[in-house]
């Protein structure tokens, strides 16, 4: 019992670390606001590959990577996830540096509800009455925002859908977090390197042009990308999935506060209605999840 409590406590701290880092990520990208979004993404890919390569070597995981790349179905899945995560990174970074952190946070609030819809569409799962109500309420909130402040709704929906599809495909791919991210990054690296070299050859690249501080920030992108993901993977091994589900709202909540209180982004009535609808939907969804989990636990005790 004591060991189980210790594992959960460790998992809680790991999860808080992961989602806390994801929450303050806009501060990092705001420091690179003078660098084009495509170039930030390219450097993020390249320096992540260096950082992940070091971790793979330290933890001796090259064998697992070699086994994964010899399986065509796994590689096809990872090519798809690589494209999805690259699109997600690009949209999110563009949103932050262009003053749309609020829409970015909404995207990650929507993510669990998009996951539910994917389960219905792709896995033919059936929703409870409460889940149907939550999804309908979230949809109504998004519709209000689309009408009242429609210029940024594409950011929220693109982030939510791309990350939900990424998570879904990574769940069905039989490869661990470190190996999967390393292969995805290696798939994207040639394009990223070609883009950086093209920018430098044309005199429009930022490497070395904006000073040592910017170069260091671009190098740090590798750790910024990999560390929270690895913390999350470790937390997932120590915590119940329901607890992890609650923790995922920490990151968009921090981003929401940063957008309004620090970055001074305009919070319209449409935003307020939409966020209120999403938050209410999430409370309904989470409450229904707890009810179902308790019912299953009670049934298990009777067996």
């Amino acid at each position: 019992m004591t060991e189980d409590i210790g594992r959960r406590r460790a998992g809680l701290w790991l999860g808080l670390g992961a989602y806390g880092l994801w929450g303050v990520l806009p501060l990092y990208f705001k420091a690179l606001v003078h660098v084009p979004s495509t170039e930030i993404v390219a450097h993020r890919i390249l320096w992540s590959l260096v950082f992940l390569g070091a971790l793979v070597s330290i933890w001796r995981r090259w064998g697992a990577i070699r086994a994964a790349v010899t399986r065509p179905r796994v590689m096809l899945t990872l090519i798809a996830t690589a494209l999805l995560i690259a699109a997600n990174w690009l949209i999110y970074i563009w949103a932050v540096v262009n003053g749309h952190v609020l829409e970015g946070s909404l995207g990650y609030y929507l993510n669990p509800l998009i996951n539910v819809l994917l389960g219905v569409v792709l896995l033919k799962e059936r929703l409870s009455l409460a889940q149907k109500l939550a999804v309908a309420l979230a949809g109504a909130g998004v519709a209000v925002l689309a009408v009242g402040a429609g210029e940024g709704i594409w950011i929220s929906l693109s982030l939510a859908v791309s990350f939900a599809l990424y998570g879904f495909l990574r769940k069905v791919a039989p490869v661990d977090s470190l190996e999967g991210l390393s292969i995805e990054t290696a798939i994207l690296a040639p394009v990223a390197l070609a883009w950086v070299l093209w920018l430098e050859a044309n005199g429009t690249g930022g490497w070395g042009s904006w000073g040592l501080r910017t170069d260091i920030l671009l190098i740090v992108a590798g750790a910024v990308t990999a560390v929270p993901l690895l913390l999350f993977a470790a937390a997932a091994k120590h915590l119940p999935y329901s607890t992890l589900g609650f923790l995922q709202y920490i990151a968009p909540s921090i981003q929401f506060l940063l957008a309004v209180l620090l970055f001074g982004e305009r919070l319209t009535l449409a935003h307020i209605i939409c966020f209120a609808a999403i938050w209410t939907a999430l409370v309904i969804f989470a409450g229904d999840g707890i009810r179902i989990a308790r019912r299953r636990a009670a049934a298990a005790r009777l067996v």
Side-chain angles (χ1 to χ4, degrees):
M1 179 66 72
T2 303
E3 183 180 350
D4 185 58
I5 293 174
R7 283 172 57 86
R8 291 198 177 195
R9 185 179 292 117
L12 182 61
W13 283 110
L14 289 166
L16 289 172
Y19 286 109
L21 288 173
W22 276 326
V24 299
L25 202 56
L27 295 173
Y28 170 76
F29 292 123
K30 283 288 188 181
L32 290 168
V33 69
H34 53 289
V35 182
S37 302
T38 53
E39 191 170 0
I40 297 175
V41 172
H43 278 285
R44 186 178 188 181
I45 291 167
L46 294 174
W47 293 111
S48 293
L49 185 62
V50 174
F51 185 80
L52 291 166
L55 291 181
V56 169
S57 297
I58 292 169
W59 292 340
R60 300 178 179 179
R61 306 285 278 274
W62 288 110
I65 289 179
R66 283 193 294 270
V69 299
T70 59
R71 303 172 66 182
R73 185 175 179 180
V74 172
M75 285 303 298
L76 285 174
T77 302
L78 291 178
I79 289 171
T81 56
L83 295 174
L84 285 167
I85 200 62
N88 184 272
W89 287 351
L90 181 58
I91 295 167
Y92 182 73
I93 292 171
W94 184 91
V96 171
V97 300
N98 286 279
H100 293 285
V101 178
L102 204 57
E103 283 77 9
S105 70
L106 174 60
Y108 290 110
Y109 275 124
L110 281 172
N111 184 67
L113 297 170
I114 297 294
N115 286 336
V116 173
L117 288 177
L118 285 178
V120 173
V121 174
L122 299 179
L123 302 178
K124 308 302 180 184
E125 295 177 351
R126 301 182 67 178
L127 299 182
S128 67
L129 180 61
Q131 289 172 331
K132 290 178 181 177
L133 176 62
V135 172
L137 190 58
V142 171
V144 170
L145 184 60
V147 173
E151 69 278 0
I153 192 64
W154 71 270
I155 298 171
S156 305
L157 293 176
S158 298
L159 288 174
V161 172
S162 62
F163 199 71
L165 286 171
Y166 173 80
F168 176 81
L169 290 176
R170 281 301 304 271
K171 282 181 183 295
V172 300
V175 59
D176 287 340
S177 177
L178 177 58
E179 288 87 340
L181 184 61
S182 299
I183 295 171
E184 289 167 348
T185 308
I187 290 169
L188 297 170
V191 176
L193 181 60
W195 180 245
V196 170
L197 292 176
W198 187 86
L199 291 174
E200 295 299 326
N202 284 271
T204 55
W207 182 257
S209 301
W210 288 300
L212 180 62
R213 176 177 174 272
T214 297
D215 291 345
I216 291 173
L217 284 172
L218 290 173
I219 293 172
V220 170
V224 166
T225 300
V227 169
L229 188 61
L230 295 173
L231 288 174
F232 169 80
K237 293 180 179 179
H238 292 79
L239 287 176
Y241 194 73
S242 57
T243 303
L244 207 59
F246 276 112
L247 291 180
Q248 72 178 318
Y249 303 119
I250 292 174
S253 297
I254 295 174
Q255 293 167 13
F256 175 86
L257 293 174
L258 287 175
V260 176
L261 301 179
L262 185 61
F263 303 144
E265 294 187 14
R266 182 166 166 261
L267 186 64
T268 65
L269 178 60
H271 280 112
I272 293 172
I273 294 173
C274 181
F275 275 102
I278 296 295
W279 289 331
T280 304
L282 292 174
V283 169
I284 294 171
F285 184 73
D288 188 61
I290 293 173
R291 179 186 63 81
I292 293 172
R294 286 177 175 173
R295 187 173 64 190
R296 288 175 178 173
R301 285 194 296 268
L302 294 175
V303 175

